[in-house]
Amino acid sequence: MLDFRPILFIIGILLSTLAIGMVIPALVDLYYGHPDWLVFSAASAVSLFIGGALIMMNRTDHLKFTSRQAFILTTASWLVLTAVSALPFAFSDLDMSYTDAFFEAMSGISTTGSTVIVGLDGAAPGILLWRALLQWLGGIGIIVMAIAVMPMLRVGGMQLFRMENSDKSDKAFPRATQIAVGIAMLYLGFTVLCAILLWWAGMPGFDAIAHAMTTVATGGFSTRDASVGHFDNAAIDVIITLGMAAGALPFILYLQTLRGRPFSLFQDGQVRTFVAIALTVILTVAFWHSSTNDVAFLTALRYSAFNIISVMTGTGYATTDYGLWGPFAVTVFFFVMFIGGCAGSTTCGVKIFRLQVLYEIAKVQLNHMLRPHGVFIAYYNRKPLSEDVTESVLSFFFLFVFCFVVLAASLGAMGLDFITAVSSAGTAIANVGPGLGPIVGPSGNFATLPDGAKWLMSIGMLIGRLEVFTVLVLFFPAFWRD
């Protein structure tokens, strides 16, 4: 029989941590004299009570996890944390329904960035900070999952990055605890540096802190309705663009760089491919936007670089409504939203390494067609790919596309027009943020969508954030059999 005690124990720890996090916006609201500090205090008390009860009732001497327990824990923890994180939204002076509150919380903790809140410019500081904190915590959470949990579960080809299968020379630190501490310190350092730079560039202090957290987490929640475009500052655009790109690279390689291997980032195939794709798309869109819409090239380059990196990394910030640039730009933005960043980063989407694996598989297949008796091997980072990795990546890609199609069709069945349904499904499953069109595009939001669509998109965000398999495997009856 499946033992749920370790699962509930870890969820209790996470809820207790979340309760501590709620104290921060409570103190901010108290400082500014906003009554929502009572809401955060009450939600913190509820979270701490539930978390403490789960810890005390499910304590065990030896905390060991099977793969089945790990699958359940991964999905259950994100659902429970989202449900509790929604409480401050539901009971704040924003007067949100629980559906909207859950959508906002899931969008935050999954670092998607889609929002249903209208009037961010006048919202309480505690709520604005809570949105940023959720994305910041979700960002570091997905890094830890990508390094420690997903490779163990062999999800979507992530077994490529199993630390225990690497040579010692490939390890940034000898033990997993040191890796976790190192990543946490690095993540915090990036956030502090980004906040200082944004403040130096002219962004108000509170906005700088909130945007720094959501930039490094590639989350995209802003403190303004017009997103980063509100500030209309070239220096801020450059800083956030570089911050989003930094968040899209493997954090384990940053640690290796700091440990005396300065070329680790440049030697990694993922990083080189990410940079090549990003530069190619940015320059192509910039040249097209400049020539077609009669915009100065440097201006076109500034807006193209920011918004392409934002959508490609799944951050979701916007400095302008790129949906008005023309059909070519809209098409490019739609497809780059699925690319994502590197494994072991805060980004989402298909991810670069899977595109590399798919390319290698296709190349081998083409070579077999040309020379049927030849022996061809697919490689990743100059190492041969095992059959289980290639099968896992192909399965992931099929299920990712399948979930996208089902979600888009379901949203269409609820009365959403084609552009809104398809882009909403894409932005949910790829955890991007804004969609396309006048309703959910960069200049709109998801407030007017029916409640059913918001719940479907919340499920899509969860599936996309947890690499598809982790959620879908729970629906197989065989998973629950001993």
Side-chain angles (χ1 to χ4, degrees), residues 2 42 95 225 260 312 383 406 426 455:
L2 190 63
D95 195 27
D225 285 321
M312 183 174 167
K383 294 179 182 178
V406 170
W455 283 110

Side-chain angles (χ1 to χ4, degrees), residues 3-11 58 63-65 69:
D3 186 3
F4 282 90
R5 288 178 301 169
I7 299 170
L8 296 174
F9 180 77
I10 296 298
I11 290 177
N58 298 282
L63 192 66
K64 292 184 179 180
F65 277 91
Q69 288 171 322

Side-chain angles (χ1 to χ4, degrees), residues 102-175:
F102 189 91
F103 179 95
E104 195 77 13
M106 179 62 80
S107 181
I109 208 164
S110 65
T111 69
T112 302
S114 303
T115 186
V116 293
I117 299 177
V118 179
L120 289 170
D121 298 76
I127 283 291
L128 297 176
L129 186 60
W130 181 233
R131 296 167 81 244
L133 270 171
L134 282 179
Q135 293 203 323
W136 193 78
L137 293 172
I140 193 169
I142 205 64
I143 295 174
V144 172
M145 285 179 56
I147 293 173
V149 180
M150 297 302 185
M152 178 186 73
L153 300 180
R154 308 170 75 83
V155 169
M158 289 296 290
Q159 56 265 44
L160 271 174
F161 306 101
R162 293 186 72 170
M163 295 299 296
E164 63 267 28
N165 286 347
S166 303
D167 295 332
K168 287 187 178 180
S169 59
D170 287 339
K171 293 185 179 180
F173 291 100
R175 292 191 297 273

Side-chain angles (χ1 to χ4, degrees), residues 68 96 152 155 162 168 212 237 248 254 259 263 313 343 352 380 396 399 405 419 424 428 434 464:
R68 281 205 303 167
M96 299 170 67
M152 178 186 73
V155 169
R162 293 186 72 170
K168 287 187 178 180
D237 289 357
Y254 290 129
R259 295 282 291 181
F263 300 108
T313 61
I352 296 295
Y380 175 81
F396 171 89
L399 287 176
V405 171
I419 293 295
S424 294

Side-chain angles (χ1 to χ4, degrees), residues 201-343:
M203 188 179 282
F206 180 85
D207 296 297
I209 293 171
H211 283 85
M213 287 193 285
T214 55
T215 294
V216 175
T218 59
F221 271 160
S222 177
T223 57
R224 308 288 179 170
D225 285 321
S227 191
V228 179
H230 169 88
F231 303 99
D232 194 22
N233 184 311
I236 289 175
D237 289 357
V238 171
I239 293 165
I240 292 181
T241 301
L242 295 176
M244 293 186 292
L249 303 184
F251 274 67
I252 198 74
L253 296 184
Y254 290 129
L255 295 183
Q256 291 180 353
T257 301
L258 295 175
R259 295 282 291 181
R261 296 176 60 187
F263 300 108
S264 295
L265 274 172
F266 305 102
Q267 292 171 346
D268 187 77
Q270 268 196 108
V271 175
R272 293 199 301 269
T273 303
F274 172 80
V275 172
I277 293 174
L279 287 178
T280 301
V281 176
I282 287 169
L283 290 174
T284 301
V285 173
F287 276 115
W288 182 87
H289 183 38
S290 176
S291 59
T292 303
N293 298 317
D294 195 23
V295 178
F297 178 72
L298 289 180
T299 302
L301 183 62
R302 168 190 164 188
Y303 287 117
S304 297
F306 183 96
N307 291 286
I308 287 292
I309 291 294
S310 177
V311 172
M312 183 174 167
T313 61
T315 307
Y317 283 140
T319 51
T320 184
D321 189 354
Y322 44 78
L324 302 176
W325 289 3
F328 174 74
V330 171
T331 305
V332 171
F333 275 102
F334 175 74
F335 283 108
V336 297
M337 75 165 58
F338 296 102
I339 294 175
C342 303

Side-chain angles (χ1 to χ4, degrees), residues 414-427:
M414 291 188 173
L416 275 62
D417 65 87
F418 177 79
I419 293 295
T420 302
V422 171
S423 64
S424 294
T427 197

